[in-house]
Amino acid sequence: MTAHSQGGPLAGLRVLDLATLFAGPLAATMLGDFGAEVIKVEHPAKPDPSRGHGPSKDGIGLWWKLLGRNKRTITLDLSRPGGRETLLRLAATADVIIENFRPGTLEKWDLGWEELSAANPRLVLARVTGFGQFGPYAHRPGFGTLAEAMSGFAAITGEPGSPPTLPPFGLADSIAGLATAYAVMTALTARDRTGEGQVVDMAIIEPILTVLGPQPIWYDQLGHVQPRTGNRSANNAPRNTYRTADGSWVAVSTSAQSIAERVMRLVGRPDVIEEPWFATGADRARHAEILDEAVGAWIARRTRAEVLEAFEKAEAAVAPIQDIRDVMNDPQYEALDTITTIDDPELGPLRMQNVLFRLSATPGAIHWAGRPHGADTETVLAELGLTGPEIDALRAEGAL
């Protein structure tokens, strides 16, 4: 199936993915999963670094297979005249460009918004950077780790008295990628109404603040600074991870009062339900030591299977702490096809995360995993109307 016939609710949209590592490319992946034709544009000598991030098999980066799915790949050196002209020709056919160069880089190549919008007034240009397009930090190198540090995430993550903790994966980048896909669709909806494109300015330091919740309001109104509480919550208890008799771990949540009451009855401590402090989540959290001791002791005497069965019977909220081996065999994920199988010409069957959500009438789909560097260059340029000699000239210039 070609990019032009893969269908989906976004079929007919053309997206140029000029971005690398990881927020911008993930946004393009999300669009491609639901039918947009995505053309990944990489430097001829310096491909997207995600091709070399993490484990590889037979010299082929596995992260790229996920991040590059549903994308055709071409090479183009935008700093060369031929590369610039070719990108402008591509932009004239596109609906969206996603880029994450430092502010001013596209302008240095005469490929800023003025030039791109002149080539295509309906274009949406999504600019994804660490700190945004303006402000005192705009020209600094920006990565998700810095956003996790600056946003307050690391400050509240970890055990009390321990160092701030960074996530062992691209959390801020991933949140920004999802936010960018949403921003692009918002801009496209506006274009449908006005007929004109616009610029999306996405700073990776911002979306993570949204998912961190009401911390700014708490500080503004009360001067409250959220501390590190480990696995406990300041809003409810019991809420923690607990070790079972067979050495496994489970997580318990009691965000609802009724669930908290069911848990304490289950573990043989219905007496605490009558305590005045048990009536609210915040008061329960202030007595977490008592509740954790009761829940932890009960769980420690039972295997994981026994704990899960008892909690399910009591209609209390529990989940096993799973590593990726468990996830790959979890019956709920299996029922949802959350981990699906793709046939790849280079590596054969690949199992990876499926599309992000299910639509009943116009579902998304994964049609292929990440393709080799520049695999579709000549095909895409030929579709653009370039002749063989013109493509050869670009290659001789070093633009391809």
Side-chain angles (χ1 to χ4, degrees), residues 39 45 47 75 86 126 140 149 204 223 242 283 285 309 318 347 360:
I39 299 173
T75 60
T86 303
R140 293 181 181 179
I204 296 173
Y242 307 91
D283 281 339
E309 181 181 3
V318 70
L347 297 176
S360 62

Side-chain angles (χ1 to χ4, degrees), residues 64 159 302 317 337 340:
W64 166 251
E159 294 296 327
R302 291 161 175 82
D337 195 29
T340 197

Side-chain angles (χ1 to χ4, degrees), residues 87-387:
L87 183 72
L88 287 174
R89 290 181 66 169
L90 280 168
T93 72
D95 298 280
V96 180
I97 291 179
I98 301 175
E99 63 97 359
N100 71 336
F101 300 106
R102 285 199 210 181
T105 301
L106 283 183
E107 285 76 8
K108 179 180 67 176
W109 298 330
D110 293 325
L111 286 170
W113 176 240
E114 183 177 345
E115 292 82 5
L116 291 171
S117 60
N120 182 355
R122 290 175 55 82
L123 185 70
V124 170
L125 174 63
R127 315 194 77 167
V128 186
T129 57
F131 304 105
Q133 295 295 309
F134 56 91
Y137 304 164
H139 290 277
R140 293 181 181 179
F143 298 99
T145 297
L146 308 187
E148 290 145 13
M150 286 181 58
S151 64
F153 172 85
I156 65 170
T157 304
E159 294 296 327
S162 68
T165 301
L166 295 167
F169 65 100
L171 176 64
D173 274 309
S174 298
I175 296 170
L178 297 174
T180 301
Y182 166 60
V184 164
M185 295 310 301
T186 302
L188 289 172
T189 300
R191 186 190 71 176
D192 290 344
R193 188 168 59 250
T194 66
E196 296 181 356
Q198 60 183 299
V199 177
V200 172
D201 180 4
M202 179 62 65
I204 296 173
I205 60 171
E206 291 186 300
I208 190 171
L209 270 172
T210 296
V211 303
L212 283 174
Q215 289 189 62
I217 294 176
W218 287 344
Y219 181 75
D220 176 64
Q221 296 296 304
L222 302 172
H224 175 72
V225 178
Q226 184 173 334
R228 289 191 287 283
T229 57
N231 290 323
R232 287 179 174 171
S233 169
N235 303 309
N236 64 81
R239 192 265 196 182
N240 213 325
T241 60
Y242 307 91
R243 192 167 189 174
T244 64
D246 54 355
S248 297
W249 292 84
V250 297
V252 173
S253 176
T254 58
S255 296
Q257 180 70 21
S258 60
I259 299 295
E261 294 176 6
R262 291 172 195 168
V263 169
M264 299 318 296
R265 291 191 185 99
L266 174 63
V267 303
R269 289 296 308 274
D271 57 296
V272 298
I273 299 174
E274 304 305 320
E275 295 285 350
W277 51 261
F278 198 86
T280 70
D283 281 339
R284 293 200 313 273
R286 283 188 277 271
H287 293 79
E289 292 288 350
I290 296 171
L291 301 176
D292 273 347
E293 182 180 355
V295 175
W298 186 90
I299 288 175
R301 296 192 297 271
R302 291 161 175 82
T303 66
R304 185 175 84 165
E306 291 169 339
V307 171
L308 297 178
E309 181 181 3
F311 267 73
E312 183 172 358
K313 185 176 180 180
E315 298 184 358
V318 70
I321 303 293
Q322 300 190 147
D323 64 21
I324 192 58
R325 293 168 295 187
D326 302 312
V327 170
M328 299 292 270
N329 294 289
D330 184 279
Q332 182 61 31
Y333 283 133
E334 183 178 354
L336 297 174
D337 195 29
T338 306
I339 306 295
T340 197
T341 301
I342 304 300
D343 287 324
D344 181 69
E346 293 183 289
L347 297 176
L350 295 176
R351 298 177 71 192
M352 66 173 65
Q353 300 96 317
N354 209 336
V355 300
L356 192 60
F357 48 86
R358 285 164 292 281
L359 296 179
S360 62
T362 56
I366 305 170
H367 298 288
W368 61 80
R371 289 174 52 72
H373 182 224
D376 304 291
T377 301
E378 294 195 6
T379 300
V380 170
L381 296 188
E383 292 171 356
L384 195 61
L386 273 70
T387 65

